[in-house]
Amino acid sequence: VAYSIGRPTSFVAYLTFLPKVFIGGYLGGYLILMVFGVAFAAFVKHVWRLPVSPDGDLWTDEAQAILFPCSSEARAVARRRSCDVDHLVYACRDLDEGVAHIHKLLGMKPAYGGAHPKFGTHNALLSLGSGSYLEIIAPDPNRIEQGTKPKIFGLDDDISSANNMDRLTAFAVHPSPSVKGATFELIAQSLRLAGCKIGPITSGERRSPDGRALRWRFTSPYFARGAQPFVVDWGLAGSSAEARRSPAFTAPKGCKLTRLICYCRDEETRAGVEELHRRIGLVGNNGDGSAYRVPVVVEKDDGPAYDLVAEIITPKGQKVCLGRRSTAQHE
């Protein structure tokens, strides 16, 4: 006996047949979307090589958010997308001179941090409170003698060095510790989706003067320019709690970063920077009572294309503007 599904022959038959078609079509469409979503998530991670969160559910949501920007997954990812200022980079010709200048300006002497053999630099560090710190960085004479020239923060050639010495040249961000699901990979991914070059994600390690190992992960600082930050992660899996500690908690304390201002030459540039910071969860993330959040604002100002100025309160209560416009005033 042959069986076949024919057209309904009565109104009552239509009433029972249509729900079956609807349910079958809905389930079929859902399965197709699910399979496509899983395939796209694999494409994002393994072919596109976009940074994704290590948790399987989180990175699947991130892929779905890219594919369906109005979906519930996209809204969930947007709630996780949040970062804070990790550290400010002050570039100088000579580390001792840079430390002396910061000591005079802020009334606190930065402590020597260590050398970065890969980049041909060495640094000194000063805590700025709120989970952030100041890095004074300069070419390492020992590495230069060995033929390693600095390759970051404008220290790589004479023309760039002339414009980028003795000033704030860049800043870094880290995932907000107070936001559940905010990951290093998500912030790096957001930077790349915003059209920024981030370079390879690598691990760093150096020894502090007391011999303690300091480990971290970061996107390439080579692409950090002005208002575009690079991303740092101090929670590298597999390292000890002591090794994960940021210099924000181990460097000399007493100063407090109250605001970071990104000055832009024109309105179009200012709007672009605000959009970039919004897309990585940097602007508008303060005011929730968290002790780790520093306001980052973008303002238009005549001058260079980008200019960074940090407002810092010294131990004596002075407000210092550290940047190209380094000034001090009593609060």
Side-chain angles (χ1 to χ4, degrees):
V1 178
Y3 293 93
S4 63
I5 300 176
R7 294 179 58 186
T9 58
S10 67
F11 179 73
V12 174
Y14 265 112
L15 291 180
T16 57
F17 178 73
L18 290 178
K20 296 177 182 178
V21 173
F22 175 79
I23 293 173
Y26 178 82
L27 291 177
Y30 178 80
L31 288 174
I32 291 173
L33 286 176
M34 184 176 68
V35 171
F36 181 71
V38 171
F40 182 74
F43 170 81
V44 166
K45 183 175 183 179
H46 300 292
V47 180
W48 194 0
R49 295 190 179 279
L50 195 68
V52 292
S53 298
D55 182 273
D57 292 335
L58 294 183
W59 74 259
T60 301
D61 280 353
E62 290 160 13
Q64 295 283 347
I66 297 171
L67 196 59
F68 306 109
C70 295
S71 63
S72 59
E73 289 87 355
R75 292 190 291 272
V77 170
R79 288 191 292 271
R80 295 195 287 112
R81 188 181 292 115
S82 182
C83 60
D84 303 321
V85 175
D86 182 81
H87 69 275
L88 312 178
V89 179
Y90 183 88
C92 53
R93 297 176 180 83
D94 179 86
L95 188 60
D96 291 336
E97 292 179 2
V99 167
H101 174 69
I102 295 299
H103 186 190
K104 180 179 179 180
L105 190 65
L106 301 181
M108 290 286 297
K109 185 177 182 180
Y112 183 73
H116 311 113
K118 180 179 178 180
F119 296 109
T121 58
H122 59 163
N123 67 8
L125 309 166
L126 183 67
S127 175
L128 296 177
S130 302
S132 61
Y133 66 96
L134 176 65
E135 178 184 27
I136 300 94
I137 191 167
D140 184 352
N142 295 326
R143 300 303 301 181
I144 293 176
E145 290 176 1
Q146 298 174 23
T148 303
K149 292 185 178 181
K151 300 177 181 179
I152 52 175
F153 307 132
L155 302 175
D156 53 342
D157 58 64
D158 294 337
I159 296 176
S160 186
S161 294
N163 295 325
N164 289 284
M165 289 293 191
D166 305 314
R167 63 183 289 254
L168 289 180
T169 59
F171 72 104
V173 297
H174 59 233
S176 300
S178 59
V179 177
K180 184 178 180 180
T183 65
F184 165 77
E185 290 82 3
L186 177 57
I187 307 306
Q189 169 198 133
S190 301
L191 261 179
R192 186 166 162 188
L193 290 175
C196 298
K197 293 182 178 180
I198 63 172
I201 293 174
T202 54
S203 300
E205 180 177 352
R206 66 171 172 81
R207 292 283 174 178
S208 61
D210 61 2
R212 184 172 56 90
L214 191 66
R215 302 184 181 93
W216 66 96
R217 287 188 301 165
F218 59 102
T219 60
S220 176
Y222 181 82
F223 297 104
R225 291 288 192 278
Q228 177 186 327
F230 63 106
V231 191
V232 176
D233 176 31
W234 297 100
L236 184 60
S239 61
S240 67
E242 181 67 17
R244 292 199 304 266
R245 297 201 67 189
S246 162
F249 305 102
T250 58
K253 302 176 180 64
C255 295
K256 182 173 179 59
L257 177 64
T258 58
R259 191 166 67 141
L260 177 62
I261 308 170
C262 302
Y263 286 105
C264 303
R265 181 183 298 167
D266 53 61
E267 186 61 30
E268 182 179 356
T269 304
R270 186 199 65 79
V273 170
E274 280 195 339
E275 175 64 13
L276 169 63
H277 290 181
R278 183 192 67 79
R279 293 184 65 173
I280 65 174
L282 182 59
V283 167
N285 66 3
N286 56 296
D288 65 349
S290 170
Y292 290 97
R293 298 198 158 179
V294 174
V296 179
V297 298
V298 184
E299 297 183 1
K300 179 179 176 296
D301 181 69
D302 295 333
Y306 299 104
D307 201 6
L308 295 175
V309 174
E311 292 185 355
I312 301 172
I313 302 298
T314 71
K316 294 184 178 181
Q318 286 184 309
K319 182 170 77 172
V320 172
C321 293
L322 177 63
R324 193 181 291 276
R325 309 165 177 79
S326 293
T327 60
Q329 65 188 66
H330 288 283
E331 281 290 277

